[in-house]
Structures are given as structure tokens and as C-alpha cells.
């Protein structure tokens, strides 16, 4: 999705105001450096900066899409590289594991709906809970 480009309502209003003031007097000077030429110059500066900003957004969108395309190409090539190692050495080989695959003889299939629990990661159980404040000073004991 392309980034949203910016439009300035202040710029549009100022341009309309400058056109109206120009119909009064093209060289209007209301004092304190407030002149129609200075006003017009600032309007053009804002217009230039807004255009530059919107162009930068377009360039950023282009770079983002190029990066995503390269990322997809990299993912495909990484998969093909692993499959190439599997083809050459086999899916049960040490080389397949070294390339990032899980060797066939090391895969564990669990039952549907169960997450595998390794023997080194046994859950701990709370043996007693005394609510939020304990009356006898004992805390909940955990066992593993």
C-alpha cells in the first residue's frame, strides 16, 4: 500500500488569498515586511517542499517494494538451497542439519492438540495458594 501523499489546505488557502490580493494591488505592502511578493515567495517555497516531500514518499514506496521483492527472492533461494542439500546428502544427513533443516530421524510428531514438552522443561506446580495476603506468613510453595 502506497504511503499517503500530503496536500496542504493552508497552501491552497494562501494561494487563493494571494490571487485575491493580487487583484487589489500586485505590489501591496501592508507594513512590517508583509508584501505580496514576499507572500508569493513563501507560497512557492511551501509548494516546492510539499512536492519534494511527496516525491520522497514515492521513492520510499518504490524502495520498500523492491526490498520486499528481494526478500521473497531470498526466501525462495534459501528454501531451494536447503532442498539442494537434501537432494545431495539426504534429509537424514548431518549436512542437512548443518544447512538449517531438521534431519528426518530427529523429527518428533506429537499428538494432535498437544504441544511437545521436553523432559528438561517440566512445568512447576503451585502446591498451596493462600490468596492475596497470607495470614500465617507462609508463601505459596512451588515444586519442580
Amino acid at each position: 500500500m502506497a504511503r499517503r501523499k500530503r496536500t496542504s489546505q493552508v497552501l491552497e488557502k494562501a494561494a487563493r488569498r494571494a490571487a485575491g490580493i493580487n487583484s487589489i494591488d500586485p505590489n501591496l505592502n501592508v507594513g512590517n515586511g508583509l508584501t505580496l511578493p514576499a507572500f508569493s515567495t513563501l507560497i512557492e517555497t511551501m509548494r516546492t517542499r510539499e512536492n519534494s516531500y511527496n516525491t520522497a514518499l514515492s521513492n520510499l514506496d518504490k524502495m520498500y517494494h523492491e526490498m520486499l521483492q528481494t526478500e521473497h527472492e531470498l526466501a525462495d533461494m534459501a528454501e531451494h538451497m536447503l532442498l539442494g542439500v537434501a537432494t545431495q546428502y539426504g534429509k537424514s544427513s548431518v549436512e542437512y542439519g548443518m544447512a538449517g533443516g531438521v534431519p528426518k530421524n530427529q523429527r518428533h510428531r506429537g499428538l494432535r492438540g498437544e504441544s511437545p514438552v521436553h523432559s528438561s522443561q517440566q512445568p512447576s506446580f503451585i502446591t498451596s495458594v493462600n490468596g492475596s495476603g497470607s495470614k500465617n506468613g507462609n508463601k505459596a510453595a512451588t515444586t519442580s
Side-chain angles (χ1 to χ4, degrees):
M1 184 172 165
R3 285 169 178 74
R4 195 168 172 195
K5 306 302 185 271
R6 189 174 194 290
T7 57
S8 174
Q9 292 178 349
V10 173
L11 177 61
E12 292 170 8
K13 185 177 179 181
R16 284 191 305 269
R17 185 162 292 163
I21 293 172
N22 191 40
S23 66
I24 297 170
D25 181 6
N27 296 316
L28 184 68
N29 184 351
V30 295
N32 293 331
L34 301 174
T35 65
L36 184 58
F39 189 47
S40 297
T41 301
L42 190 55
I43 289 170
E44 287 307 312
T45 300
M46 176 59 191
R47 187 169 284 134
T48 301
R49 290 197 176 154
E50 185 180 67
N51 288 338
S52 296
Y53 176 80
N54 289 336
T55 301
L57 285 180
S58 295
N59 290 335
L60 188 60
D61 284 337
K62 179 182 173 191
M63 289 172 57
Y64 178 71
H65 289 293
E66 288 171 351
M67 181 192 67
L68 288 180
Q69 179 64 34
T70 304
E71 185 178 41
H72 289 298
E73 290 173 12
L74 179 60
D76 286 345
M77 187 170 189
E79 183 180 5
H80 286 112
M81 292 294 290
L82 182 62
L83 291 174
V85 170
T87 301
Q88 189 163 356
Y89 296 99
K91 285 191 174 184
S92 295
S93 67
V94 173
E95 291 82 3
Y96 184 71
M98 291 169 61
V102 178
K104 218 175 184 182
N105 57 2
Q106 293 180 5
R107 292 185 190 148
H108 299 286
R109 289 188 63 161
L111 297 175
R112 183 180 291 173
E114 289 185 11
S115 61
V117 177
H118 301 289
S119 60
S120 64
Q121 297 176 344
Q122 294 181 358
S124 62
F125 299 98
I126 298 176
T127 56
S128 66
V129 177
N130 295 326
S132 61
S134 64
K135 297 176 185 170
N136 62 3
N138 293 336
K139 297 191 179 206
T142 59
T143 61
S144 48

